[in-house]
Amino acid sequence: MLRYFPLKACLLAGFLIFSSQLQATDLKDRQAELKRLQSQISKQQSSLQSTGKQREQLLALLKQDEQAVAKAAQKANETRKALTAVDKELTEIAARQTQLNKLRKTQQETLSKQLASAYLAGNHDYTKMLLNQQNPATIERMLTYYQYLNRARIQAIDSLKATMEELTTLTNKEQQRKTKLNALMIEQQQQAKDLGKEQDQREQTLAQLQRVLQDKGAQLEQLQIEEASLKRVLKQAERATRQNGSMDGLAKSRGKLKWPVRGSIRHRFGTKRSGGVTWKGVILAAPEGREVKPVAPGKIIYADWLRGFGMVMVVDHGKGYMSLYGHSQALLKSVGEQVNTTDSIALVGRSGGQSKPGLYFEIRHKGQAINPANYCR
């Protein structure tokens, strides 16, 4: 396929470079902060109080890194969808052009035959035919025949003209879509670079955080803090949902729902994590970037970064039922939006300090975690 790079594409490339420079400044600030923390940790390794403070600082930096990853991934996802839409439109244009070219050929052949017939019939002087006192009925039949031929030729010419005009319109439209495709390809390449840089920074921050959390006591404390944070968020969300009684909940959907993403279960509900902490949901192993869909219709009541769970979305289904989707690479919907099972609400990721991509998924009823496997098949 030919590639074109007109003025619009060049302007877009310039804008993307400027946007990338702004993003690079923020990235450099976070890189400098990480180096500062690493230096502090190496000097104060023996101080538990300092280590705890540094852990909180690293978590705050991890939050910034993962939010930056989410922003870059969301842009890349939007561009990917736009590319797919433009490719589909170009395919449709090409198919229509093929149809029109066949039609044009048929119309040209028909018109050629009509013109040949008119030429063979010769020019007829109708006044001469009358003066020669030819049979009036014969004259009338001949006039009717020639009028029919003239109308048929005019109709054939108009049809061919309409076909040619549509072909011209499609050619112009095709050129515009190719221009847009080129601009999107430039955008996608830049976004891929930005996403890669943000992921690299996030990996460095996470590696330093994991070194700080090597102690089992620190790990357990971290899990307990994370669980407490989740409970607090869900309690706030639950208070907000009491005002909405229009949805049916999930009681009648037991065993009928689809999992939010295709993947295998890495961690099951109720199994032990560390100390006395157990899994309140499941981890579904799936490729990073795969789209996540809600298990049932509902309303978004939380969409933000949450300690230990990364980019989290909570959907209210009514009657005290909520579903939670964590460790996302990016969130594609906002608080207050109504969603259906066909909507993509997030992308599978590793946020929240995860080393492997996957989706953390919970179902809760009146604040209590329940086994998702009882509802999803």
Side-chain angles (χ1 to χ4, degrees), residues 159-304:
S159 297
L160 180 58
K161 184 181 176 183
T163 300
M164 296 298 290
E165 286 175 352
E166 188 177 352
L167 273 169
T168 301
T169 300
L170 281 177
T171 301
N172 293 334
K173 190 175 182 180
E174 182 184 36
Q175 180 60 50
Q176 291 171 2
R177 294 302 179 269
K178 283 181 177 179
T179 300
K180 185 176 180 180
L181 186 66
N182 286 322
L184 286 170
M185 287 175 68
I186 295 170
E187 189 175 355
Q188 187 183 48
Q189 290 167 3
Q190 183 59 53
Q191 288 169 349
K193 290 179 183 177
D194 293 341
L195 181 58
K197 289 176 183 177
E198 296 296 356
Q199 286 175 328
D200 288 344
Q201 168 63 14
R202 182 248 180 205
E203 289 302 310
Q204 293 176 39
T205 303
L206 180 59
Q208 184 60 56
L209 179 61
Q210 287 171 340
R211 281 195 287 272
V212 172
L213 292 173
Q214 281 179 352
D215 179 73
K216 288 187 178 180
Q219 291 176 10
L220 178 58
E221 180 189 355
Q222 178 73 5
L223 288 174
Q224 290 170 340
I225 292 172
E226 291 169 1
E227 191 165 314
S229 299
L230 180 60
K231 283 182 179 178
R232 185 173 62 255
V233 165
L234 291 175
K235 191 169 285 186
Q236 292 172 351
E238 189 181 356
R239 284 198 292 269
T241 60
R242 287 172 187 163
Q243 302 173 357
N244 190 358
S246 60
M247 292 182 285
D248 297 331
L250 302 178
K252 295 179 181 179
S253 302
R254 193 178 175 92
K256 300 176 183 178
L257 303 177
K258 290 184 179 179
W259 290 100
V261 69
R262 287 184 292 108
S264 58
I265 297 179
R266 184 185 297 149
H267 296 294
R268 296 184 179 277
F269 175 83
T271 56
K272 289 184 179 180
R273 295 184 66 181
S274 179
V277 180
T278 58
W279 287 100
K280 300 299 189 294
V282 298
I283 293 281
L284 295 167
E288 194 164 26
R290 179 171 285 178
E291 292 185 347
V292 177
K293 300 182 186 296
V295 292
K299 182 180 180 181
I300 307 295
I301 55 174
Y302 184 86
D304 205 346

Side-chain angles (χ1 to χ4, degrees), residues 301-313:
I301 55 174
Y302 184 86
D304 205 346
W305 189 92
L306 183 63
R307 181 171 176 164
F309 297 91
M311 304 304 295
V312 173
M313 184 166 287

